[in-house]
Amino acid sequence: MLHISRSAALFTGLGLSVLATLPALAQDKTPKYSNEFLNIGVGGRALGMGKVQVSLADDATAGYWNPAGLVNQKTKYDGVLMHSELFSGIVKNDYAGFSMKLDDKSAVGVSLVRLGVDDIADTRNLVNEYGYIDYNNIRYFSVADYALLLSYARQIGNVEGLQVGANAKLIYRNIGSFANAIGFGVDAGVQYRRNDWRLALMARDITTTYNAWTIHPEEFKGSANALDPLPKSSTEITLPLFVLGASRLFKLPGEFTALPALDVEISTDGQRNTLVSSKAVNLDPRAGLELGYKQLVYLRGGVGNLQQVQSFTGKEEWKVQPSLGVGLALSGLRLDMALTRLAVEKLGQRSQPTSIIVSLGYGIK
């Protein structure tokens, strides 16, 4: 009971700290969707469960979802690779993570995320000085976002089942030779495990992340629309985002297990289209379920991204983004696959593509 009381006090204090920051962040004009590439998610397990993961992550992907979970990894070393292609293969999303336990109470990890569109044609000089089309004048460039996360996690010695962790996050964003940005931020997370219950809190960009953009105006010469003003170097702000998570493991007959989980995302960057929406705070719930057999085969499902959309008739409806996944774990090797849709149906049209995400993990004792 003493452990539970201490943990309850800790989570209550963290919750009050979150609420205390909300009035200061309640603005009419707040920056939205900065560094949004870091909200897509990584790992076939997580994406198959609707991105419900802050209380569950216990492998190398914990460096992304909640660094506190690194302490709970089952092997000394763990690595995960993921590749997915979004929007019919136009956008490439890649992830690599590695983690290592330092001892029974601490662990470190490193994660690298890249989201990019490659081979974009620059056709501004397609027509040469003689008025003829010259395909040799076409130049190609890439638009890509990178994030490097360095993670550290430690178990709190006097509270059984309580871990804390933090990320130092370096951002690099590049738009060919036209512009680039560098940013730095800090994430912090907590996980608490008691019997079959798991509770968690993740705070992303807790210090506010600033991306400093550098524009190269000389690269915009020859633009097709000379009337557009040239962009200027500026600073992009990413406000804090919090995720509360809870899950419970149920042991079923026949060596089956069920692991339902719930995450509630709390954004502070102005009003969004979420279940609970306001200028001060938005609440976006997500739910997931993992069914396992002998810790060998897993079937997963999840729902999230609940939004209100308007049809052609003007009727407003609530839509969710479903996801499914399967997993196989054998001798330290983990293969996870997820099927998910990244766009909510618009105006009643079912035009959203299904994305296939595959990740491979391996743990070494």
Side-chain angles (χ1 to χ4, degrees), residues 46-47 50 71 76 85 101 107 114 119 133 153 173 194 210 213 217 257 269 282 287 293 295 308:
L47 296 174
V71 176
K76 182 175 178 59
E85 298 185 0
K101 298 194 72 171
R114 181 190 187 270
D119 296 325
I133 294 177
R173 307 184 68 182
R194 185 66 174 174
Y210 295 87
W213 280 95
T257 58
D269 59 355
N282 306 282
Y293 176 66
Q295 298 183 342
Q308 195 171 32

Side-chain angles (χ1 to χ4, degrees), residues 44-45 59 290-300 325-338 358-363:
R45 182 196 187 197
D59 57 14
E290 179 182 73
L291 300 175
Y293 176 66
K294 291 186 176 181
Q295 298 183 342
L296 176 65
V297 181
Y298 298 92
L299 178 64
R300 306 178 180 113
V326 294
L328 177 65
L330 182 62
S331 299
L333 181 66
R334 307 185 305 277
L335 177 63
D336 298 301
M337 184 180 71
V358 178
S359 66
L360 182 67
Y362 190 71

Side-chain angles (χ1 to χ4, degrees), residues 203-225:
R204 295 185 180 176
D205 305 296
I206 193 170
T207 58
T208 302
T209 298
Y210 295 87
N211 290 349
W213 280 95
T214 301
I215 307 298
H216 306 289
E218 66 278 2
E219 296 294 335
F220 289 87
K221 294 180 181 179
S223 175
N225 189 354

Side-chain angles (χ1 to χ4, degrees), residues 252-318:
L252 306 177
E255 298 188 72
F256 286 92
T257 58
L259 183 58
L262 176 68
D263 280 0
V264 179
E265 184 177 280
I266 307 171
S267 55
T268 63
D269 59 355
Q271 193 162 13
R272 291 191 177 202
N273 185 11
T274 57
L275 181 62
V276 178
S277 177
S278 71
K279 293 180 180 179
V281 62
N282 306 282
L283 302 183
D284 186 15
R286 301 190 290 261
L289 175 65
E290 179 182 73
L291 300 175
Y293 176 66
K294 291 186 176 181
Q295 298 183 342
L296 176 65
V297 181
Y298 298 92
L299 178 64
R300 306 178 180 113
V303 291
N305 197 23
L306 182 63
Q307 294 188 19
Q308 195 171 32
V309 299
Q310 191 176 67
S311 64
F312 281 115
T313 62
K315 181 180 178 181
E316 292 187 344
E317 299 176 331
W318 287 98

Side-chain angles (χ1 to χ4, degrees), residues 182-199:
I182 296 178
F184 178 81
V186 175
D187 305 329
V190 180
Q191 273 191 358
Y192 174 68
R193 297 191 175 196
R194 185 66 174 174
N195 298 326
D196 293 326
W197 282 97
R198 306 174 185 182
L199 305 175

